[in-house]
Amino acid sequence: MTKSNKALHGAIALAGISALALTACTGPSGGGGGSTASGNAGSTIAYGTTDKVTALDPAGSYDNGSFMVMNQIYSFLMNSKPGGAEPAPDLAESGSFTAPTEFTVKMKSDLKWANGHVLDSKDVKFSFDRQTKIADPNGPASLLGNIKSIATPDANTVVFTLSKANDQTFAQILQSPAAPIVDDEVFPADKLLSDEEIVKAKAFYGQYVIDSYNKNTLISLTAWPDYKGVLGKPANAGATIKYYTDQTNMKLEVKGGQIDVANRSLSATDIDDLKKDSNVTVNVGPGGEMRYIVFNFDTMPFGAKTPEADPKKALAVRQAAANLVDRQAISDQVYKGTYLPMWSNVPSGFLGANESFKEAYGDGSGKPSLDKAKKVMSDAGISGPVNIKLQYNPDHYGKSSGDEYAMVKDQLEKSGLFTVDLQSTEWVTYNAASKKDSYPVFQLGWFPDFSDADNYLTPMFPKGGFFNNHYSNTDVEALIAKQLVTADKSEREKTIKDIQDQLAKDISTLPLLQGAQVAVSGKSVKGVDSTLDASFKFRLGQVSK
Amino acid sequence: MATMIDAPPPTVAPPKSKSAGGGLGRYILIRFLLIFPTIFILVTLVFFLMRITGDPITAAQGGRLPQEQIDALIHQAGYDRNLFIQYIEYLGNIATGNFGRTISDGRPVIEMLTTFGAATLELSINALLVALLVGIPLGMFAAHKRDKVPDAFLRLFAILCYATPVFFAGLLLKLVFSVGLGWFPVAGRASTTTELAMGRLGAPTGIYWLDALRSNDLAAFGDIVHHAVLPAVALGLLTAGVFLRLVRTNVIGTLGKDYVEAGRSRGVSEFRLVTKHAYKPALIPIITVMGLQIALMLGGAVLTETTFEWKGLGYQLAQYLTARDFVAVQGIVMLLAVIVAVTNFVVDIAAALIDPRVRY
């Protein structure tokens, strides 16, 4: 026993000493994703993110992390060129309405998957049909509600028959998370395929193929030379995607050059800090994410189901709040410019976006107006401070939500017109409770399914929509329905503006902030800014060093 | 009192060997059987607690889909069924070895457990190594310098080690040695190059340093050790503090024993007394404590792994909890429960073999 103990202790000591000796002898190796060269298309880009992949199967995921990878390895019938969100043919040669309920796509010919299988209209029909059939709880099948049937008259033609005629968002749907085209010889028709099987089967048609896959740890991509879509040849030879849990680790690694790009999501303070670092560039692009204060028309002060129900007073409360919030101060002080002031329900950059709230409330230039707030309250016969129960959520909408809503509370209370009871709740409970009238006034956010103004209107404001706040205006509903099917661009633009003006009068919600896309890159890295566009798709193929 | 009167006279005591063997066998059997209710209770608690706190569909799709669609998806997935029926179904699946697939990312649970379990095992081995290398020699040194300045300093150090929250120790180490001095990497189990090399291995164990050694890749081994130092120290110091105190106390105790005094009177040096004669008996309690430390270490691994981007079970548990992934959380907790219960079982047996007084 003595001898074996000795041996054991000896072995432990030796192992420890060896480990420490090796540690002392070795420095960090292979940062930057093992890049082979710099400043040319032969380089490899190392991309970092805190997003996560749910599934590489398009039917099994509907989140930013999964969609980012899909955008590198799959194609769509339509996709947008870097710099915008306007649908352009990708696998398609052309796509347009051939009848009010018929959208016809002509595909490019002689397309082949990376595994050598033929890519034709059969794959397209298969991809959409299986989305609808599987309808996975984590998937985006809900986006395909307007597709009635799909026909494939020949190998290069796909005809979508739609339930609603002239759907102006349909081309956008074809480049949405519901629309990556998959290999019908690899994917099963009625169930999901695991990530490992997809990688093994090389079922890719995109700018890249995956050559090494360690889920939510590290993905290695190699440029695929046979891709013929709208995105063209990548500006690099390949890329690695590294997944982080802690945004601070990601920040430190982009600072240290271990990764070339850090995207989604760094905190506002980290970004502010990185702006001062000469070794990195902070790239900012338009963001589609919106943050609102939602008023529940039944339970808010003077709401329809409160003992003191009075629609005029309820409107005055909303108007007073609209006159008092200082969006710029929240943007500057809490979010350091990573969220920008939002003056309407359609974010800037989209067709028809205006600034209805800026003109209607505050001092007319975006600053708050105490006088106007006091006037609307006194005109409505409200004396004394109104108590508002205001709810927010920090784990889904970010830790900074606490600071954001502390500021909103302060802005409202400073006026003397409100007392605010501020509360926060964990997301799962919060989401369910906000839909069940538990919160009179509450925070809500929205990230678009596809890049079109309609996606900020149709899901929200018709009765029973996403907000579920009992707002109802038949004029607004009619205008929303009209813009959806108006083919004339300028007429559609005017209708969207009219909707926003009416929404600003009713104040179903108080739009507060619009998120910006922020990606931090090393000084020698090029092309990041060109992919931070309104499509919200990060394309690794744009980046080089 | 009547029992005492009726008791057999001491002269008719059962044969010694039979008594000792039967007692140990019974003890082992009881300790073994206790593993099952321990795991069962834990698994049951997790099953119901997870379902009380929400469902994975609301966690993933809430805020994106209207409530009616979310309700329909919840119904489709069967999460709105009677909880008791779901529970019976779950137990039935476990009994048949069907652990299912994770809800949030569709992985087979067994595969997920082996992949991330290997990473956690690696971290735990590294941390245990640190704990032993730091705790035992320093404990012996403190005992040797009893009530002197080094002893006081080391006692304080030990208290700091086990009183400091592991995430704080991790952050501190990272700030000083990674950000400040730049000696060690900020996070991760290996550099990108090594990670890719490990991914290409044919039949990896998942324990990176072992895989690197098996493939004779010394550069990768060095890189892996380089990445492992800070997480191992952060987690290992937690246990090192306990070992240090324990070794010190026990060595002081054995230093006063007759056989040590006899050695001292024969002129054996104090250093030799401590390192050769006194420390061996003092190590026995460490075996018992080690079993308890496994649970503490696994708890600490959750925080260490998150701090250092160490993609192990603790890191995954945090992710799956956020996603309300019942299946994944149940799988991980069950594995952790099995590890803790089995470790304690083994430790109990070892302790019983070493010291017969602990037997029933």
Side-chain angles (χ1 to χ4, degrees), chain A residues 225-245:
Chain A
D226 294 341
Y227 169 71
K228 293 175 184 167
V230 70
L231 302 178
K233 191 178 180 304
N236 52 61
T240 55
I241 304 174
K242 190 171 178 182
Y243 292 89
Y244 295 84
T245 316

mmCIF file with all atom_site columns, all heavy atoms in Angstrom, chain A residues 225-245:
data_model
loop_
_atom_site.group_PDB
_atom_site.id
_atom_site.type_symbol
_atom_site.label_atom_id
_atom_site.label_alt_id
_atom_site.label_comp_id
_atom_site.label_asym_id
_atom_site.label_entity_id
_atom_site.label_seq_id
_atom_site.pdbx_PDB_ins_code
_atom_site.Cartn_x
_atom_site.Cartn_y
_atom_site.Cartn_z
_atom_site.occupancy
_atom_site.B_iso_or_equiv
_atom_site.pdbx_formal_charge
_atom_site.auth_seq_id
_atom_site.auth_comp_id
_atom_site.auth_asym_id
_atom_site.auth_atom_id
_atom_site.pdbx_PDB_model_num
ATOM 1   N N   . PRO A 1 225 ? -17.452 26.543 -54.570 1.00 0.00 ? 225 PRO A N   1
ATOM 2   C CA  . PRO A 1 225 ? -17.266 27.257 -55.843 1.00 0.00 ? 225 PRO A CA  1
ATOM 3   C C   . PRO A 1 225 ? -18.446 27.144 -56.818 1.00 0.00 ? 225 PRO A C   1
ATOM 4   O O   . PRO A 1 225 ? -18.561 27.968 -57.716 1.00 0.00 ? 225 PRO A O   1
ATOM 5   C CB  . PRO A 1 225 ? -16.028 26.584 -56.437 1.00 0.00 ? 225 PRO A CB  1
ATOM 6   C CG  . PRO A 1 225 ? -15.918 25.260 -55.748 1.00 0.00 ? 225 PRO A CG  1
ATOM 7   C CD  . PRO A 1 225 ? -16.532 25.406 -54.427 1.00 0.00 ? 225 PRO A CD  1
ATOM 8   N N   . ASP A 1 226 ? -19.337 26.156 -56.647 1.00 0.00 ? 226 ASP A N   1
ATOM 9   C CA  . ASP A 1 226 ? -20.403 25.947 -57.634 1.00 0.00 ? 226 ASP A CA  1
ATOM 10  C C   . ASP A 1 226 ? -21.688 26.720 -57.352 1.00 0.00 ? 226 ASP A C   1
ATOM 11  O O   . ASP A 1 226 ? -22.690 26.517 -58.032 1.00 0.00 ? 226 ASP A O   1
ATOM 12  C CB  . ASP A 1 226 ? -20.718 24.444 -57.737 1.00 0.00 ? 226 ASP A CB  1
ATOM 13  C CG  . ASP A 1 226 ? -19.529 23.674 -58.318 1.00 0.00 ? 226 ASP A CG  1
ATOM 14  O OD1 . ASP A 1 226 ? -18.676 24.335 -58.935 1.00 0.00 ? 226 ASP A OD1 1
ATOM 15  O OD2 . ASP A 1 226 ? -19.451 22.456 -58.123 1.00 0.00 ? 226 ASP A OD2 1
ATOM 16  N N   . TYR A 1 227 ? -21.671 27.561 -56.328 1.00 0.00 ? 227 TYR A N   1
ATOM 17  C CA  . TYR A 1 227 ? -22.860 28.365 -56.020 1.00 0.00 ? 227 TYR A CA  1
ATOM 18  C C   . TYR A 1 227 ? -23.084 29.406 -57.124 1.00 0.00 ? 227 TYR A C   1
ATOM 19  O O   . TYR A 1 227 ? -22.152 30.112 -57.521 1.00 0.00 ? 227 TYR A O   1
ATOM 20  C CB  . TYR A 1 227 ? -22.662 29.045 -54.663 1.00 0.00 ? 227 TYR A CB  1
ATOM 21  C CG  . TYR A 1 227 ? -23.684 30.107 -54.356 1.00 0.00 ? 227 TYR A CG  1
ATOM 22  C CD1 . TYR A 1 227 ? -25.002 29.766 -54.060 1.00 0.00 ? 227 TYR A CD1 1
ATOM 23  C CD2 . TYR A 1 227 ? -23.334 31.458 -54.358 1.00 0.00 ? 227 TYR A CD2 1
ATOM 24  C CE1 . TYR A 1 227 ? -25.938 30.750 -53.786 1.00 0.00 ? 227 TYR A CE1 1
ATOM 25  C CE2 . TYR A 1 227 ? -24.265 32.441 -54.076 1.00 0.00 ? 227 TYR A CE2 1
ATOM 26  C CZ  . TYR A 1 227 ? -25.565 32.082 -53.798 1.00 0.00 ? 227 TYR A CZ  1
ATOM 27  O OH  . TYR A 1 227 ? -26.500 33.060 -53.529 1.00 0.00 ? 227 TYR A OH  1
ATOM 28  N N   . LYS A 1 228 ? -24.341 29.471 -57.626 1.00 0.00 ? 228 LYS A N   1
ATOM 29  C CA  . LYS A 1 228 ? -24.612 30.392 -58.739 1.00 0.00 ? 228 LYS A CA  1
ATOM 30  C C   . LYS A 1 228 ? -25.653 31.449 -58.380 1.00 0.00 ? 228 LYS A C   1
ATOM 31  O O   . LYS A 1 228 ? -26.294 32.028 -59.253 1.00 0.00 ? 228 LYS A O   1
ATOM 32  C CB  . LYS A 1 228 ? -25.125 29.597 -59.946 1.00 0.00 ? 228 LYS A CB  1
ATOM 33  C CG  . LYS A 1 228 ? -24.096 28.665 -60.555 1.00 0.00 ? 228 LYS A CG  1
ATOM 34  C CD  . LYS A 1 228 ? -24.727 27.828 -61.652 1.00 0.00 ? 228 LYS A CD  1
ATOM 35  C CE  . LYS A 1 228 ? -23.740 26.825 -62.195 1.00 0.00 ? 228 LYS A CE  1
ATOM 36  N NZ  . LYS A 1 228 ? -24.395 25.806 -63.031 1.00 0.00 ? 228 LYS A NZ  1
ATOM 37  N N   . GLY A 1 229 ? -25.886 31.659 -57.103 1.00 0.00 ? 229 GLY A N   1
ATOM 38  C CA  . GLY A 1 229 ? -26.962 32.558 -56.688 1.00 0.00 ? 229 GLY A CA  1
ATOM 39  C C   . GLY A 1 229 ? -26.586 34.027 -56.672 1.00 0.00 ? 229 GLY A C   1
ATOM 40  O O   . GLY A 1 229 ? -25.492 34.409 -57.116 1.00 0.00 ? 229 GLY A O   1
ATOM 41  N N   . VAL A 1 230 ? -27.495 34.808 -56.129 1.00 0.00 ? 230 VAL A N   1
ATOM 42  C CA  . VAL A 1 230 ? -27.367 36.265 -56.165 1.00 0.00 ? 230 VAL A CA  1
ATOM 43  C C   . VAL A 1 230 ? -26.197 36.797 -55.329 1.00 0.00 ? 230 VAL A C   1
ATOM 44  O O   . VAL A 1 230 ? -25.712 37.901 -55.575 1.00 0.00 ? 230 VAL A O   1
ATOM 45  C CB  . VAL A 1 230 ? -28.715 36.908 -55.722 1.00 0.00 ? 230 VAL A CB  1
ATOM 46  C CG1 . VAL A 1 230 ? -28.955 36.687 -54.228 1.00 0.00 ? 230 VAL A CG1 1
ATOM 47  C CG2 . VAL A 1 230 ? -28.751 38.391 -56.040 1.00 0.00 ? 230 VAL A CG2 1
ATOM 48  N N   . LEU A 1 231 ? -25.729 36.015 -54.382 1.00 0.00 ? 231 LEU A N   1
ATOM 49  C CA  . LEU A 1 231 ? -24.676 36.531 -53.494 1.00 0.00 ? 231 LEU A CA  1
ATOM 50  C C   . LEU A 1 231 ? -23.280 36.436 -54.102 1.00 0.00 ? 231 LEU A C   1
ATOM 51  O O   . LEU A 1 231 ? -22.352 37.076 -53.616 1.00 0.00 ? 231 LEU A O   1
ATOM 52  C CB  . LEU A 1 231 ? -24.703 35.781 -52.150 1.00 0.00 ? 231 LEU A CB  1
ATOM 53  C CG  . LEU A 1 231 ? -26.029 35.858 -51.381 1.00 0.00 ? 231 LEU A CG  1
ATOM 54  C CD1 . LEU A 1 231 ? -25.954 35.042 -50.104 1.00 0.00 ? 231 LEU A CD1 1
ATOM 55  C CD2 . LEU A 1 231 ? -26.397 37.304 -51.059 1.00 0.00 ? 231 LEU A CD2 1
ATOM 56  N N   . GLY A 1 232 ? -23.148 35.621 -55.128 1.00 0.00 ? 232 GLY A N   1
ATOM 57  C CA  . GLY A 1 232 ? -21.855 35.526 -55.813 1.00 0.00 ? 232 GLY A CA  1
ATOM 58  C C   . GLY A 1 232 ? -20.794 34.788 -55.020 1.00 0.00 ? 232 GLY A C   1
ATOM 59  O O   . GLY A 1 232 ? -21.079 34.116 -54.032 1.00 0.00 ? 232 GLY A O   1
ATOM 60  N N   . LYS A 1 233 ? -19.553 34.960 -55.471 1.00 0.00 ? 233 LYS A N   1
ATOM 61  C CA  . LYS A 1 233 ? -18.429 34.253 -54.851 1.00 0.00 ? 233 LYS A CA  1
ATOM 62  C C   . LYS A 1 233 ? -18.050 34.962 -53.540 1.00 0.00 ? 233 LYS A C   1
ATOM 63  O O   . LYS A 1 233 ? -17.968 36.192 -53.500 1.00 0.00 ? 233 LYS A O   1
ATOM 64  C CB  . LYS A 1 233 ? -17.249 34.299 -55.836 1.00 0.00 ? 233 LYS A CB  1
ATOM 65  C CG  . LYS A 1 233 ? -16.080 33.418 -55.490 1.00 0.00 ? 233 LYS A CG  1
ATOM 66  C CD  . LYS A 1 233 ? -15.038 33.554 -56.612 1.00 0.00 ? 233 LYS A CD  1
ATOM 67  C CE  . LYS A 1 233 ? -13.801 32.715 -56.407 1.00 0.00 ? 233 LYS A CE  1
ATOM 68  N NZ  . LYS A 1 233 ? -13.082 32.901 -55.218 1.00 0.00 ? 233 LYS A NZ  1
ATOM 69  N N   . PRO A 1 234 ? -17.794 34.199 -52.471 1.00 0.00 ? 234 PRO A N   1
ATOM 70  C CA  . PRO A 1 234 ? -17.405 34.856 -51.221 1.00 0.00 ? 234 PRO A CA  1
ATOM 71  C C   . PRO A 1 234 ? -16.065 35.575 -51.335 1.00 0.00 ? 234 PRO A C   1
ATOM 72  O O   . PRO A 1 234 ? -15.221 35.192 -52.153 1.00 0.00 ? 234 PRO A O   1
ATOM 73  C CB  . PRO A 1 234 ? -17.292 33.702 -50.222 1.00 0.00 ? 234 PRO A CB  1
ATOM 74  C CG  . PRO A 1 234 ? -17.837 32.509 -50.874 1.00 0.00 ? 234 PRO A CG  1
ATOM 75  C CD  . PRO A 1 234 ? -17.858 32.744 -52.351 1.00 0.00 ? 234 PRO A CD  1
ATOM 76  N N   . ALA A 1 235 ? -15.902 36.571 -50.500 1.00 0.00 ? 235 ALA A N   1
ATOM 77  C CA  . ALA A 1 235 ? -14.647 37.339 -50.509 1.00 0.00 ? 235 ALA A CA  1
ATOM 78  C C   . ALA A 1 235 ? -13.577 36.669 -49.665 1.00 0.00 ? 235 ALA A C   1
ATOM 79  O O   . ALA A 1 235 ? -12.527 37.248 -49.409 1.00 0.00 ? 235 ALA A O   1
ATOM 80  C CB  . ALA A 1 235 ? -14.916 38.745 -49.985 1.00 0.00 ? 235 ALA A CB  1
ATOM 81  N N   . ASN A 1 236 ? -13.860 35.474 -49.176 1.00 0.00 ? 236 ASN A N   1
ATOM 82  C CA  . ASN A 1 236 ? -12.875 34.739 -48.370 1.00 0.00 ? 236 ASN A CA  1
ATOM 83  C C   . ASN A 1 236 ? -12.922 33.262 -48.742 1.00 0.00 ? 236 ASN A C   1
ATOM 84  O O   . ASN A 1 236 ? -13.834 32.823 -49.450 1.00 0.00 ? 236 ASN A O   1
ATOM 85  C CB  . ASN A 1 236 ? -13.173 34.933 -46.878 1.00 0.00 ? 236 ASN A CB  1
ATOM 86  C CG  . ASN A 1 236 ? -14.612 34.604 -46.546 1.00 0.00 ? 236 ASN A CG  1
ATOM 87  O OD1 . ASN A 1 236 ? -15.061 33.479 -46.734 1.00 0.00 ? 236 ASN A OD1 1
ATOM 88  N ND2 . ASN A 1 236 ? -15.367 35.600 -46.084 1.00 0.00 ? 236 ASN A ND2 1
ATOM 89  N N   . ALA A 1 237 ? -11.937 32.519 -48.249 1.00 0.00 ? 237 ALA A N   1
ATOM 90  C CA  . ALA A 1 237 ? -11.877 31.092 -48.595 1.00 0.00 ? 237 ALA A CA  1
ATOM 91  C C   . ALA A 1 237 ? -12.728 30.240 -47.674 1.00 0.00 ? 237 ALA A C   1
ATOM 92  O O   . ALA A 1 237 ? -13.062 29.105 -47.993 1.00 0.00 ? 237 ALA A O   1
ATOM 93  C CB  . ALA A 1 237 ? -10.433 30.610 -48.529 1.00 0.00 ? 237 ALA A CB  1
ATOM 94  N N   . GLY A 1 238 ? -13.068 30.789 -46.553 1.00 0.00 ? 238 GLY A N   1
ATOM 95  C CA  . GLY A 1 238 ? -13.858 30.040 -45.586 1.00 0.00 ? 238 GLY A CA  1
ATOM 96  C C   . GLY A 1 238 ? -14.057 30.855 -44.324 1.00 0.00 ? 238 GLY A C   1
ATOM 97  O O   . GLY A 1 238 ? -13.570 31.996 -44.224 1.00 0.00 ? 238 GLY A O   1
ATOM 98  N N   . ALA A 1 239 ? -14.778 30.275 -43.380 1.00 0.00 ? 239 ALA A N   1
ATOM 99  C CA  . ALA A 1 239 ? -15.051 31.007 -42.147 1.00 0.00 ? 239 ALA A CA  1
ATOM 100 C C   . ALA A 1 239 ? -15.263 30.028 -41.005 1.00 0.00 ? 239 ALA A C   1
ATOM 101 O O   . ALA A 1 239 ? -15.635 28.868 -41.228 1.00 0.00 ? 239 ALA A O   1
ATOM 102 C CB  . ALA A 1 239 ? -16.290 31.876 -42.324 1.00 0.00 ? 239 ALA A CB  1
ATOM 103 N N   . THR A 1 240 ? -14.995 30.497 -39.801 1.00 0.00 ? 240 THR A N   1
ATOM 104 C CA  . THR A 1 240 ? -15.381 29.723 -38.618 1.00 0.00 ? 240 THR A CA  1
ATOM 105 C C   . THR A 1 240 ? -16.394 30.551 -37.847 1.00 0.00 ? 240 THR A C   1
ATOM 106 O O   . THR A 1 240 ? -16.309 31.783 -37.818 1.00 0.00 ? 240 THR A O   1
ATOM 107 C CB  . THR A 1 240 ? -14.183 29.410 -37.702 1.00 0.00 ? 240 THR A CB  1
ATOM 108 O OG1 . THR A 1 240 ? -13.542 30.633 -37.364 1.00 0.00 ? 240 THR A OG1 1
ATOM 109 C CG2 . THR A 1 240 ? -13.197 28.479 -38.370 1.00 0.00 ? 240 THR A CG2 1
ATOM 110 N N   . ILE A 1 241 ? -17.347 29.864 -37.261 1.00 0.00 ? 241 ILE A N   1
ATOM 111 C CA  . ILE A 1 241 ? -18.330 30.550 -36.407 1.00 0.00 ? 241 ILE A CA  1
ATOM 112 C C   . ILE A 1 241 ? -18.136 30.014 -35.001 1.00 0.00 ? 241 ILE A C   1
ATOM 113 O O   . ILE A 1 241 ? -18.279 28.817 -34.751 1.00 0.00 ? 241 ILE A O   1
ATOM 114 C CB  . ILE A 1 241 ? -19.773 30.284 -36.881 1.00 0.00 ? 241 ILE A CB  1
ATOM 115 C CG1 . ILE A 1 241 ? -19.928 30.684 -38.347 1.00 0.00 ? 241 ILE A CG1 1
ATOM 116 C CG2 . ILE A 1 241 ? -20.773 31.035 -36.011 1.00 0.00 ? 241 ILE A CG2 1
ATOM 117 C CD1 . ILE A 1 241 ? -21.282 30.330 -38.945 1.00 0.00 ? 241 ILE A CD1 1
ATOM 118 N N   . LYS A 1 242 ? -17.765 30.897 -34.101 1.00 0.00 ? 242 LYS A N   1
ATOM 119 C CA  . LYS A 1 242 ? -17.499 30.494 -32.723 1.00 0.00 ? 242 LYS A CA  1
ATOM 120 C C   . LYS A 1 242 ? -18.625 31.000 -31.831 1.00 0.00 ? 242 LYS A C   1
ATOM 121 O O   . LYS A 1 242 ? -19.025 32.168 -31.931 1.00 0.00 ? 242 LYS A O   1
ATOM 122 C CB  . LYS A 1 242 ? -16.153 31.087 -32.277 1.00 0.00 ? 242 LYS A CB  1
ATOM 123 C CG  . LYS A 1 242 ? -15.658 30.554 -30.962 1.00 0.00 ? 242 LYS A CG  1
ATOM 124 C CD  . LYS A 1 242 ? -14.223 31.008 -30.705 1.00 0.00 ? 242 LYS A CD  1
ATOM 125 C CE  . LYS A 1 242 ? -13.745 30.509 -29.347 1.00 0.00 ? 242 LYS A CE  1
ATOM 126 N NZ  . LYS A 1 242 ? -12.393 30.965 -29.043 1.00 0.00 ? 242 LYS A NZ  1
ATOM 127 N N   . TYR A 1 243 ? -19.123 30.124 -30.962 1.00 0.00 ? 243 TYR A N   1
ATOM 128 C CA  . TYR A 1 243 ? -20.275 30.468 -30.132 1.00 0.00 ? 243 TYR A CA  1
ATOM 129 C C   . TYR A 1 243 ? -19.847 30.765 -28.697 1.00 0.00 ? 243 TYR A C   1
ATOM 130 O O   . TYR A 1 243 ? -19.099 30.000 -28.098 1.00 0.00 ? 243 TYR A O   1
ATOM 131 C CB  . TYR A 1 243 ? -21.295 29.329 -30.168 1.00 0.00 ? 243 TYR A CB  1
ATOM 132 C CG  . TYR A 1 243 ? -21.915 29.201 -31.539 1.00 0.00 ? 243 TYR A CG  1
ATOM 133 C CD1 . TYR A 1 243 ? -21.343 28.390 -32.512 1.00 0.00 ? 243 TYR A CD1 1
ATOM 134 C CD2 . TYR A 1 243 ? -23.034 29.946 -31.882 1.00 0.00 ? 243 TYR A CD2 1
ATOM 135 C CE1 . TYR A 1 243 ? -21.883 28.314 -33.784 1.00 0.00 ? 243 TYR A CE1 1
ATOM 136 C CE2 . TYR A 1 243 ? -23.579 29.872 -33.153 1.00 0.00 ? 243 TYR A CE2 1
ATOM 137 C CZ  . TYR A 1 243 ? -23.005 29.055 -34.095 1.00 0.00 ? 243 TYR A CZ  1
ATOM 138 O OH  . TYR A 1 243 ? -23.536 28.995 -35.354 1.00 0.00 ? 243 TYR A OH  1
ATOM 139 N N   . TYR A 1 244 ? -20.367 31.862 -28.179 1.00 0.00 ? 244 TYR A N   1
ATOM 140 C CA  . TYR A 1 244 ? -20.038 32.286 -26.816 1.00 0.00 ? 244 TYR A CA  1
ATOM 141 C C   . TYR A 1 244 ? -21.296 32.289 -25.953 1.00 0.00 ? 244 TYR A C   1
ATOM 142 O O   . TYR A 1 244 ? -22.397 32.504 -26.455 1.00 0.00 ? 244 TYR A O   1
ATOM 143 C CB  . TYR A 1 244 ? -19.481 33.711 -26.817 1.00 0.00 ? 244 TYR A CB  1
ATOM 144 C CG  . TYR A 1 244 ? -18.158 33.856 -27.524 1.00 0.00 ? 244 TYR A CG  1
ATOM 145 C CD1 . TYR A 1 244 ? -18.098 34.016 -28.903 1.00 0.00 ? 244 TYR A CD1 1
ATOM 146 C CD2 . TYR A 1 244 ? -16.963 33.820 -26.815 1.00 0.00 ? 244 TYR A CD2 1
ATOM 147 C CE1 . TYR A 1 244 ? -16.887 34.145 -29.557 1.00 0.00 ? 244 TYR A CE1 1
ATOM 148 C CE2 . TYR A 1 244 ? -15.748 33.953 -27.463 1.00 0.00 ? 244 TYR A CE2 1
ATOM 149 C CZ  . TYR A 1 244 ? -15.708 34.118 -28.826 1.00 0.00 ? 244 TYR A CZ  1
ATOM 150 O OH  . TYR A 1 244 ? -14.514 34.242 -29.465 1.00 0.00 ? 244 TYR A OH  1
ATOM 151 N N   . THR A 1 245 ? -21.073 32.093 -24.672 1.00 0.00 ? 245 THR A N   1
ATOM 152 C CA  . THR A 1 245 ? -22.167 32.260 -23.716 1.00 0.00 ? 245 THR A CA  1
ATOM 153 C C   . THR A 1 245 ? -22.106 33.669 -23.154 1.00 0.00 ? 245 THR A C   1
ATOM 154 O O   . THR A 1 245 ? -23.113 34.326 -22.958 1.00 0.00 ? 245 THR A O   1
ATOM 155 C CB  . THR A 1 245 ? -21.986 31.300 -22.516 1.00 0.00 ? 245 THR A CB  1
ATOM 156 O OG1 . THR A 1 245 ? -21.610 30.049 -22.996 1.00 0.00 ? 245 THR A OG1 1
ATOM 157 C CG2 . THR A 1 245 ? -23.264 31.199 -21.719 1.00 0.00 ? 245 THR A CG2 1
#
